[in-house]
Amino acid sequence: MKLLRYGPAGREKPGIMDANGQIRDLSGVVADISGDVLSPAGLERIAGTDPESLPVVDGKPRLGPCVGAMQKILCIGLNYSDHAAETGATPPTEPIVFTKQLNALCGPNDDVEKPRGSQALDWEVELAVIIGSRAKYVSEADAMDHVAGFAVMNDVSERDFQTQRQGQWTKGKSHDTFGPLGPWLVTKDEVADPHALGMWLDVNGERRQTGNTSTLIFDVPHVVSYLSQFMTLMPGDVISTGTPPGVGMGMKPPRYLNVGDVMTLGIDGLGEQRQTVVEARA
């Protein structure tokens, strides 16, 4: 299933994409794409509903982030061997974990703000893992039982804020609009192998990133299990698993985003995003 949220920011409704690519309204079935709706029982309930019986959503509404009411956005740094190489970093021996604050979350086609004082705004196409049921001290063997599905995320980053301003990475990762998520959550039953997905990102029509989840250093079960040793993962939590090579920081010389630039990005089977860079709003 392809589950989504549509409508004005902060007032999104739940939806599902039917076999013809038409959005159907799920409001009569679930309140939102969040919480227990993402559990095996919740997804089974949606799967038992015939999309053709649901109201058609007319036009092309704004798509919001495909998951609502989450508690955490967790991210894994330097998790692609070829990306680590381009940045000159030694591949990590265990996952590098940082957070992206919830205010960063936005729809897949919303504008991305360039923060005041930003000189190094960067792009990162990433595979996002959506947690479906509570996970604490889970094994790698059981980790996928706690995953609802997958989505595209752009881990937008301000590199100077991230690396030159001391402290941890969070302040370079958490500006408003730094977390476009969607267009939809693809349930795991429709993703044959999350470790064999092509991914790409263009800036102004020029290819910048080309990669494949096959070069992940730490795969999805490992990451879910690892995180669950340090914190309880809750339904709706998002794990952004890292980016392949081609980020602006890794170019020689580095190339960064400016107001008016357009990013388009996607992952095989998970859909595409499009964002325009704008000046930060108060």
Side-chain angles (χ1 to χ4, degrees):
M1 296 181 292
K2 293 182 175 66
L3 305 178
L4 55 91
R5 300 169 71 246
Y6 69 95
R11 293 186 285 121
E12 292 93 348
K13 295 181 179 181
I16 187 171
M17 188 71 70
D18 69 19
N20 298 314
Q22 176 67 56
I23 297 174
R24 300 279 181 155
D25 182 17
L26 269 175
S27 298
V29 181
V30 297
D32 200 356
I33 307 299
S34 62
D36 289 343
V37 169
L38 297 170
S39 70
L43 294 177
E44 185 177 351
R45 180 184 177 193
I46 296 174
T49 303
D50 180 6
E52 299 297 321
S53 69
L54 300 173
V56 171
V57 177
D58 294 327
K60 295 184 178 180
R62 169 191 174 268
L63 296 180
C66 58
V67 181
M70 70 186 66
Q71 292 188 13
K72 298 183 285 296
I73 304 174
L74 302 169
C75 304
I76 308 299
L78 297 174
N79 198 25
Y80 282 73
S81 55
D82 36 9
H83 172 54
E86 77 169 341
T87 63
T90 301
T93 56
E94 61 180 292
I96 297 172
V97 181
F98 62 92
T99 62
K100 186 182 283 283
Q101 298 303 300
L102 294 180
N103 61 279
L105 195 67
C106 67
N109 303 315
D110 290 347
D111 291 340
V112 164
E113 295 185 10
K114 183 178 182 181
R116 294 176 183 176
S118 169
Q119 299 296 320
L121 187 64
D122 209 346
W123 55 84
E124 296 187 57
V125 58
E126 304 203 0
L127 172 69
V129 177
I130 315 300
I131 297 297
S133 59
R134 181 180 180 274
K136 183 176 183 180
Y137 297 126
V138 301
S139 67
E140 288 190 40
D142 295 333
M144 292 303 294
D145 293 341
H146 298 270
V147 172
F150 303 93
V152 181
M153 175 169 269
N154 188 353
D155 176 22
V156 183
S157 308
E158 214 299 329
R159 300 302 190 185
D160 284 349
F161 296 177
Q162 177 187 353
T163 64
Q164 305 300 317
R165 298 291 293 273
Q166 298 189 354
Q168 299 182 0
W169 291 1
T170 303
K171 58 182 171 285
K173 298 286 189 171
S174 297
H175 192 275
D176 293 350
T177 72
F178 272 23
L181 181 67
W184 36 71
L185 182 162
V186 180
T187 52
K188 65 183 177 183
D189 59 296
E190 293 197 1
V191 181
D193 184 357
H195 308 107
L197 301 176
M199 50 206 311
W200 58 274
L201 182 145
D202 294 349
V203 177
N204 300 329
E206 178 186 337
R207 184 58 46 93
R208 300 289 173 87
Q209 288 188 274
T210 302
N212 193 287
T213 55
S214 62
T215 66
L216 279 166
I217 297 172
F218 305 107
D219 66 14
V220 173
H222 184 96
V223 167
V224 172
S225 174
Y226 180 87
L227 290 171
S228 79
Q229 310 307 309
F230 302 99
M231 65 197 79
T232 302
L233 303 176
M234 297 300 291
D237 284 351
V238 172
I239 304 169
S240 201
T241 56
T243 198
V247 298
M249 178 178 65
M251 295 181 174
K252 296 179 175 52
R255 297 173 66 182
Y256 294 118
L257 295 164
N258 293 301
V259 171
D261 286 342
V262 176
M263 292 175 282
T264 50
L265 56 146
I267 298 178
D268 291 349
L270 303 184
E272 299 182 6
Q273 300 184 354
R274 183 184 189 278
Q275 300 106 30
T276 301
V277 180
V278 298
E279 294 281 5
R281 296 179 280 268

